[in-house]
C-alpha cells in the first residue's frame, strides 16, 4: 500500500485533500493522471452497461433530494453504525471494530455504551438554518433512480426487464474511514437499478453477478485476486433479500468492490406509499399490474480505481535497476502515447517530436516530454502506465522513422512517421 500511495502522489494520480493546510483527514484529490484513470474507468463501465446492452438507460439525478426520500427509503431509521466514544481521549470508534467494548483501544480509557450514529451528512437548504430546512447529502445514488421510475416509464415507455444506470457522488459520515481511498466520506458510485418481474428476479440477480464479475476480468483484473462472497442473512442491508459482494484482494486483505443486491419491491412500494404516486408496472401482454423487483449492482469508482492500481502495480529487475510499471489495461491507461526526443539539445529533433505529439493528440491522450534523459523518461512513463513511447532520434531526421517501445514487453519497432497513426490504431 505504501508503494502505491507514494507512486500516486509522486506521479500525480492522487493527493491528500487540502494538503497545504495540513490536509483534511480522509479526503483525496485526483491529479492529472488520476482523473484520466478515473474517467476511463467510468467510461468503460458506462460502455459495458449502457451502450453495449439494449435494456439500460442512463441518467444523472441531483445529489440533494427531498428529505422524505430518506424517510421512505429507510435511511433515516436504519442507516447507522453503532459507535462508542472514549471518555478520556474523546475518540470515536465503530462498536463492531472493538475487541473490548468497554476499553478505548487508543488510550485505554473508559468507553461509553454503544449508541446508533446515523451516517447521513446533514445540511440546510436556503439561508436559514432551522429544522424545517434540513436536507441530506445522498448516501447512495440509487434513490435518484427509484424516484424517477415513473418519469422514465412515461417518457421512454421501456418494457420490463429494464434498468437505469448512474454515476455520481455519495456521502457517508463514516466512523472509521481509511485505507487510502478505500473508505472515505465523499466517494463516487456506479449503480444500476434493474427492474424485473418478481418471478425473474433470482435469475436476473445471478446474471448480473456474472456480468459484473466478468467486467473486472475483461479489464485485466487478475482472477486470483477477485472473488464473490454471498452475504450472511445478518449482514444484509434493511432493503435486501440477498446480496453477493465482488471482492478484491487488496494489500490490506479481501474487501468489497461492488455489491449486487436483490432489493425486492421494497423501494418502489415505500416510495409509492410515501409519495402517493402509483409506482406499479402494467404488463400489457399478461394484463397484470405489479411492483417490479429491483436488482442492484452497486460499485465504487474510487475503490475500483484503487483495485486497478494495486492490480497493475508491477516491479521487475532490469539490469541493475528496478523498473516500476503500471500494467493497466489499454482502456484504462491514463496516457496512451508519449513522444520523447532522444536529444533535447537538438532543436530539429525537439521540433519534430513536438509536431508528432501534436498530431497524435488529435486521436489519443498523448504527451510530449523532454525534461530528462531518455532512460529516465521511459521509467517515468512506465510508472504511469503509458502504453507506447515514441522516440525521435537523429536518424529520424533522415529516414523519417521513429522508434516505438511497448510498455510491457519493452520491445521496440522502427515505424515510418507517416504510418505511425495506423500502427498505433491497430494496437490501441
Ligand atoms: N445502493 C447500494 C449501496 O450503496 P453499498 O454496499 O453501501 O450499497 C456500494 O455501497 C458501493 O459503494 C460499495 O461496494 C463500495 O464500492 C462503494 N462505497 C460504499 N461506501 C464507501 C465509502 N465510504 N468509501 C468508498 N466507497 C464506498
Amino acid at each position: 500500500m505504501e508503494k502505491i500511495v507514494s507512486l500516486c502522489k509522486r506521479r500525480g494520480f492522487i493527493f491528500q485533500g487540502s494538503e497545504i493546510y495540513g490536509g483534511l483527514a480522509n479526503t483525496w484529490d485526483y491529479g492529472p493522471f488520476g482523473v484520466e484513470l478515473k474517467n476511463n474507468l467510468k467510461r468503460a463501465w458506462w460502455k459495458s452497461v449502457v451502450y453495449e446492452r439494449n435494456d439500460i438507460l442512463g441518467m444523472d439525478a441531483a445529489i440533494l433530494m427531498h428529505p422524505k426520500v430518506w424517510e421512505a427509503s429507510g435511511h433515516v431509521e436504519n442507516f447507522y453504525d453503532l459507535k462508542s466514544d472514549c471518555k478520556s481521549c474523546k475518540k470515536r470508534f465503530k462498536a463492531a471494530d472493538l475487541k473490548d467494548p468497554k476499553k478505548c483501544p487508543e488510550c485505554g480509557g473508559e468507553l461509553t455504551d454503544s449508541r446508533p450514529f446515523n451516517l447521513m451528512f446533514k445540511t440546510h437548504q436556503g439561508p436559514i438554518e432551522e429544522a424545517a430546512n434540513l436536507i441530506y447529502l445522498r448516501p447512495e445514488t440509487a434513490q435518484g433512480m427509484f424516484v424517477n421510475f415513473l418519469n422514465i416509464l412515461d417518457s421512454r415507455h421501456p418494457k420490463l426487464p429494464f434498468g437505469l444506470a448512474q454515476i455520481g457522488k455519495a456521502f457517508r459520515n463514516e466512523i472509521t474511514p481509511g485505507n487510502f481511498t478505500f473508505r472515505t466520506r465523499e466517494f463516487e458510485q456506479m449503480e444500476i437499478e434493474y427492474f424485473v418481474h418478481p418471478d425473474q428476479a433470482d435469475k436476473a440477480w445471478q446474471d448480473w453477478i456474472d456480468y459484473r464479475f466478468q467486467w473486472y476480468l475483461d479489464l485485466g483484473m487478475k482472477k486470483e485476486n477477485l472473488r464473490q462472497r454471498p452475504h450472511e442473512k445478518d449482514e444484509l442491508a434493511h432493503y435486501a433479500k440477498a446480496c453477493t459482494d465482488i471482492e478484491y484482494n487488496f494489500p490490506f486483505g479481501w474487501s468489497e468492490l461492488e455489491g449486487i443486491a436483490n432489493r425486492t419491491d421494497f423501494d418502489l412500494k415505500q416510495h409509492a406509499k410515501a409519495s402517493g404516486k402509483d409506482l406499479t408496472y402494467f404488463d400489457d401482454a399478461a394484463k397484470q399490474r405489479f411492483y417490479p423487483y429491483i436488482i442492484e449492482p452497486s460499485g465504487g469508482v474510487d475503490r475500483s480505481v484503487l483495485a486497478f492500481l494495486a492490480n497493475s502495480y508491477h516491479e521487475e529487475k532490469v539490469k541493475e535497476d528496478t523498473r516500476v510499471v503500471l500494467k493497466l489495461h489499454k482502456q484504462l491507461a491514463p496516457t496512451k502515447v508519449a513522444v520523447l526526443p532522444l536529444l533535447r539539445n537538438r532543436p530539429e529533433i525537439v521540433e519534430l517530436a513536438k509536431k508528432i505529439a501534436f498530431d497524435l493528440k488529435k486521436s489519443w491522450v498523448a504527451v510530449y516530454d523532454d525534461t530528462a534523459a531518455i532512460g529516465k523518461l521511459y521509467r517515468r512513463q512506465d510508472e504511469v502506465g503509458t502504453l507506447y513511447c515514441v522516440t525521435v532520434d537523429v536518424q529520424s531526421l533522415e529516414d523519417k522513422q521513429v522508434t516505438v517501445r511497448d510498455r510491457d514487453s519493452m520491445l521496440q519497432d522502427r515505424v515510418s512517421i507517416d504510418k505511425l497513426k495506423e500502427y498505433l490504431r491497430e494496437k490501441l
Side-chain angles (χ1 to χ4, degrees), residues 333-372:
T335 309
K336 310 300 179 202
V337 200
V339 185
L340 317 168
L342 191 67
L343 300 171
R344 53 190 161 140
N345 53 2
R346 289 281 299 268
E348 324 91 275
I349 295 180
V350 166
E351 197 186 323
L352 179 59
K354 280 187 179 167
K355 189 166 163 282
I356 294 171
F358 188 71
D359 192 36
L360 294 180
K361 273 172 188 281
K362 291 176 194 153
S363 306
W364 297 282
V365 178
V367 294
Y368 167 83
D369 192 4
D370 66 4
T371 53

Side-chain angles (χ1 to χ4, degrees), residues 70-245:
W70 306 109
E71 284 168 25
S73 70
H75 282 79
V76 171
E77 195 185 342
N78 297 309
F79 195 57
Y80 62 80
D81 277 339
L82 290 173
K83 52 116 186 157
S84 300
D85 295 311
C86 175
K87 291 179 182 168
S88 308
C89 72
K90 311 288 178 210
K91 286 214 170 111
R92 178 162 286 175
F93 302 94
K94 201 165 152 178
D97 295 340
L98 292 168
K99 282 205 184 91
D100 181 342
K102 298 255 174 266
K103 192 170 157 195
C104 174
E106 298 266 325
C107 75
E110 193 190 345
L111 292 175
T112 60
D113 287 341
S114 63
R115 283 171 292 190
F117 174 73
N118 195 294
L119 299 177
M120 283 195 292
F121 272 99
K122 295 187 184 89
T123 186
H124 293 89
Q125 177 150 273
I128 302 165
E129 279 196 26
E130 59 182 35
N133 294 334
L134 176 77
I135 52 167
Y136 301 97
L137 300 188
R138 67 180 177 198
E140 59 173 13
T141 66
Q143 300 299 327
M145 294 182 267
F146 304 145
V147 303
N148 277 290
F149 178 67
L150 202 51
N151 281 333
I152 299 292
L153 285 186
D154 288 348
S155 60
R156 298 295 306 263
H157 312 288
K159 295 273 174 278
L160 243 51
F162 76 90
L164 297 174
Q166 170 165 240
I167 300 177
K169 291 267 187 176
F171 303 83
R172 296 181 190 176
N173 203 0
E174 300 279 3
I175 300 170
T176 48
N179 280 328
F180 196 28
T181 54
F182 179 81
R183 181 170 288 107
T184 49
R185 296 189 172 113
E186 172 185 346
F187 54 94
E188 217 168 347
Q189 289 187 314
M190 326 182 263
E191 296 200 296
I192 297 155
E193 306 303 333
Y194 195 72
F195 303 92
V196 284
H197 189 286
D199 293 347
Q200 288 158 11
D202 290 341
K203 178 170 183 316
W205 178 58
Q206 190 54 53
D207 289 348
W208 272 108
I209 295 171
D210 299 342
Y211 191 77
R212 292 297 306 138
F213 195 78
Q214 191 59 42
W215 182 78
Y216 292 100
L217 295 177
D218 290 347
L219 284 177
M221 208 71 112
K222 294 180 192 123
K223 206 167 184 177
E224 64 272 22
N225 283 335
L226 209 57
R227 73 177 185 192
Q228 297 176 11
R229 191 185 67 80
H231 278 208
E232 301 292 339
K233 282 273 171 280
D234 64 356
E235 56 174 327
L236 286 172
H238 62 274
Y239 48 74
K241 172 186 160 192
C243 185
T244 285
D245 283 348

